[in-house]
Amino acid sequence: MVKFTDIGDVSAGEIAQLRAAYAPLAESVRELVDATIRTEVDAETVAAVKAQIDAATARLRSEQSDGPFGVRTTSGGERMAWGNPVIGIRNPFAPPLVVHRDADGRVHTEFDMGAAYEGPPGHVHGGIAALVLDHLLGEAASDGVKPRFTGTITLRYLRTTRLGRLHAEAEITRSEGVKTYATGHLADEEGVTVEAEGVFISPKWAREH
């Protein structure tokens, strides 16, 4: 199997093979995180499970890349942000979001959040809501092609967001030179809970190329 340290001229089939190998691993770890938070097994069982987890971690660390994962790009131009904490299929912290882009540039996503994202009892932590909206507004502002990074972002928390199935969306409102303005919101089954607006900046290196 091709390794991420060698990403470059790889085929769609090889990328699918990598996805099929690593995405289920991250999903299993997400389940492990949820189980760790909510388990009520006895101390002996906890100790036994910890030993198993430590052994599994050692096996995974027996061969790994140095430093953070970063964003790998294939020679064909496919962008693989698989370590990202919002959309990364290899990051157990990520829900992960699958972002859809409409013809008019609006982006939207449906996803689930459980115990790992809890702030107020039964509700999403405010910082997690900010993380999701910062990413989604950035996706909209980048227009699927040009990278644009957060300059400022403002959030209005209308009420707490229930854990469970959520919806988020964002769109560009206008552009002025290197600045792109975007708005969006997060919603639970009862409606919008958090509104956001932000300014996203085209980095100098992107402008030069």
Side-chain angles (χ1 to χ4, degrees):
M1 185 170 68
V2 66
K3 297 180 181 179
F4 276 89
T5 49
D6 302 322
I7 286 298
D9 188 16
V10 295
S11 68
E14 287 171 319
I15 293 173
Q17 185 182 34
L18 288 169
R19 183 184 291 271
Y22 291 117
L25 172 63
E27 181 58 34
S28 290
V29 178
R30 286 185 195 100
E31 290 294 322
L32 176 62
V33 170
D34 186 81
T36 299
I37 293 169
R38 300 193 292 128
T39 187
E40 295 186 5
V41 299
D42 58 40
E44 182 179 355
T45 302
V46 169
V49 170
K50 178 185 179 302
Q52 292 175 315
I53 293 170
D54 290 346
T57 300
R59 290 184 65 185
L60 292 174
R61 288 200 184 281
S62 66
E63 188 174 356
Q64 64 178 30
S65 58
D66 295 328
F69 187 85
V71 177
R72 313 295 171 93
T73 304
T74 70
S75 57
E78 180 162 351
R79 186 171 175 270
M80 302 166 71
W82 288 5
N84 185 283
V86 180
I87 62 171
I89 64 166
R90 288 190 64 173
N91 189 339
F93 178 78
L97 269 63
V98 177
V99 179
H100 304 281
R101 183 179 299 276
D102 293 340
D104 61 2
R106 185 179 70 96
V107 296
H108 54 95
T109 181
E110 304 276 345
F111 57 100
D112 293 288
M113 284 195 159
Y117 307 101
E118 187 177 36
H123 295 82
V124 177
H125 191 290
I128 298 298
L131 175 70
V132 168
L133 285 169
D134 177 57
H135 185 92
L136 205 63
L137 266 66
E139 287 271 8
S142 295
D143 198 25
V145 179
K146 299 178 181 179
R148 294 187 176 95
F149 300 149
T150 310
T152 61
I153 188 166
T154 302
L155 296 106
R156 288 178 292 277
Y157 293 84
L158 308 181
R159 59 179 176 82
T160 51
T161 305
R162 290 186 178 181
L163 293 173
R165 191 68 174 171
L166 303 176
H167 170 86
E169 60 183 71
E171 62 184 346
I172 293 174
T173 54
R174 70 184 193 279
S175 295
E176 296 176 0
V178 300
K179 297 181 180 180
T180 298
Y181 297 77
T183 61
H185 66 256
L186 176 68
D188 61 17
E189 61 183 8
E190 295 183 0
V192 175
T193 60
V194 187
E195 296 176 336
E197 57 184 19
V199 181
F200 294 82
I201 312 298
S202 176
K204 184 177 180 180
W205 57 264
R207 286 175 253 155
E208 292 175 346
H209 294 85

